[in-house]
Amino acid sequence: MKITILGSGTSTGVPMVGCHCQVCGSTDPRDKRTRASILVESCGQRILVDTSTDLRTQALREGIPHVDAVLLTHTHADHIHGIDDLRGFYFIHRRIIPCYGSPETIQSISDKFAYIFEGLTSEGYSPLLEPFPIEDPFELFGCRVVPVPIKHGSFNATGYRFDDAAYLTDCSEIPEQSLALLEGLELLIIDALRFSPHPNHFNIERALQVAQKLRPRRTLFTHLTHEVRHSDGCQLPAGVEFAYDGMTVEL
């Protein structure tokens, strides 16, 4: 299995529009962060987790030739508003892509972007995605996928475990029953927004506490704001790193 960090940034991206802070003006390419998303490659198939606002840029940068499944964590704009960029893949491959998410996420997508699932016959648009509401573990391209319910402030979101790797973006709390789904990880990719606290996200201190509790072999912090320089990673304990756009991990 190979995991690519397509985007490691928060909802504004980094640099942030109109900002001239040290991080937004950084020349370190690892401080240039598009909106959070990952690509999981298993058995030659590609699983996209979230259709971020920067999907087109990410797909071109990484040379993604096709997407074989889409998993959605929740429906905040920075995680779904690139959904229309999937049209390019349809034009080439003429395949409707299976899309997985919690029942409330699938319903919300259907409400916001009905044409994605239904198409627009009068306009000649085909459906792009086929919805599959999921709550229980399932097999996808030889990989066991476990939905992990998490809290994002007062909002429900879904993390995902792929065999021995887990992706928990936009997370402020992991319920006890979900912690049990995260035992024995090789890789944990987790929301660690910034150094200062935030009501709807883990900050770096809280994300470290989760990593210390779960004890994965390797931890990557993602969904980072312009409060965090990549070079600040030298302050992190062994086995913990800041993710960056284009970073790859093979398991």
Side-chain angles (χ1 to χ4, degrees):
M1 181 190 300
K2 176 182 175 183
I3 296 177
T4 301
I5 305 294
L6 296 179
S8 58
T10 189
S11 57
T12 61
V14 181
M16 186 173 72
V17 170
C19 184
H20 303 284
C21 73
Q22 185 179 36
V23 178
C24 287
S26 170
T27 59
D28 186 340
R30 296 169 297 182
D31 286 330
K32 312 299 183 189
R33 302 175 180 129
T34 57
R35 269 59 76 94
S37 176
I38 63 169
L39 186 74
V40 179
E41 297 179 57
S42 176
C43 298
Q45 307 296 299
R46 290 169 170 84
I47 304 166
L48 176 67
V49 182
D50 287 341
T51 57
S52 91
T53 320
D54 297 306
L55 174 56
R56 178 178 178 275
T57 297
Q58 294 163 347
L60 290 172
R61 186 192 71 217
E62 300 302 325
I64 300 173
H66 55 88
V67 170
D68 301 290
V70 173
L71 272 60
L72 299 172
T73 62
H74 66 299
T75 57
H76 284 168
D78 52 319
H79 292 264
I80 64 165
H81 278 198
I83 200 165
D84 197 64
D85 289 336
L86 294 170
R87 286 193 306 148
F89 294 114
Y90 179 80
F91 293 156
I92 294 170
H93 302 292
R94 298 292 173 179
R95 288 188 290 112
I96 299 171
I97 302 169
C99 175
Y100 303 84
S102 71
E104 66 179 301
T105 292
I106 294 295
Q107 184 60 56
S108 181
I109 293 289
S110 183
D111 293 340
K112 291 181 172 75
F113 301 100
Y115 75 95
I116 291 292
F117 294 147
E118 300 171 8
L120 284 172
T121 304
S122 62
E123 304 296 332
Y125 288 131
S126 167
L128 300 180
L129 299 175
E130 181 180 3
F132 290 93
I134 47 97
E135 296 179 286
D136 299 319
F138 61 103
E139 295 292 321
L140 189 60
F141 312 133
C143 178
R144 186 171 188 264
V145 181
V146 181
V148 181
I150 54 178
K151 298 296 292 185
H152 175 30
S154 61
F155 201 78
N156 293 322
T158 305
Y160 291 99
R161 178 170 182 159
F162 303 91
D163 291 338
D164 292 332
Y167 182 63
L168 308 177
T169 187
D170 286 48
C171 183
S172 59
E173 179 186 348
I174 305 174
E176 284 297 321
Q177 61 268 32
S178 293
L179 285 171
L181 302 174
L182 298 169
E183 296 176 353
L185 291 173
E186 289 287 319
L187 175 68
L188 172 64
I189 307 171
I190 188 169
D191 181 9
L193 188 72
R194 61 192 192 190
F195 288 100
S196 56
H198 191 283
N200 300 326
H201 294 265
F202 285 145
N203 68 348
I204 289 169
E205 180 182 4
R206 287 283 291 114
L208 281 171
Q209 291 171 0
V210 173
Q212 289 165 359
K213 186 169 187 175
L214 293 176
R215 301 179 66 83
R217 186 180 298 274
R218 186 178 184 187
T219 300
L220 303 180
F221 287 169
T222 194
H223 211 288
L224 305 168
T225 73
H226 65 163
E227 188 178 312
V228 182
R229 295 177 303 177
H230 187 83
S231 59
D232 291 332
C234 65
Q235 304 172 27
L236 298 173
V240 182
E241 309 161 61
F242 289 133
Y244 58 87
D245 286 25
M247 184 180 195
T248 61
V249 180
E250 297 204 21
L251 297 165

